[in-house]
Amino acid sequence: VASAAYGALVCGTDYCEKNPCIQPPLVCPKNTEHRARHAGKCACCPACVILLGEGATCKIYSKELGETPSAVCKEPLKCIKRVCTKLV
């Protein structure tokens, strides 16, 4: 709760609209996914993200605090106890 409140104070709900990302377009390599809002402060910039499969080691990040992962669990997997896990 404290990190979410801190993130809301740092980024606000319209931070990206007021501070658009100035970055050239990305061409993502194979085995990655383009995400329009994933990198930079408050996750306003595009990024190429590696998609992790079931059983892969993962980490939970807080975009509001400026943490943006280079790898995330592939949908519908969720990062549970640092492992990409399929919910039953």
Side-chain angles (χ1 to χ4, degrees):
V1 174
S3 66
Y6 176 76
L9 292 173
V10 171
C11 298
T13 56
D14 59 352
Y15 180 88
C16 292
E17 285 74 26
K18 291 181 180 178
N19 302 279
C21 182
I22 301 170
Q23 177 178 318
L26 293 176
V27 176
C28 294
K30 192 175 182 177
N31 298 324
T32 65
E33 177 180 273
H34 180 270
R35 297 219 172 156
R37 288 192 172 182
H38 189 80
K41 183 171 182 179
C42 300
C44 296
C45 296
C48 298
V49 180
I50 298 167
L51 299 176
L52 301 171
E54 188 171 5
T57 301
C58 57
K59 182 178 176 188
I60 297 175
Y61 295 85
S62 171
K63 288 182 181 182
E64 292 81 12
L65 296 179
E67 300 174 323
T68 52
S70 59
V72 296
C73 298
K74 188 183 312 182
E75 292 292 331
L77 304 174
K78 300 293 180 195
C79 188
I80 300 173
K81 296 183 181 178
R82 302 175 79 76
V83 176
C84 291
T85 306
K86 187 175 185 178
L87 299 177
V88 181

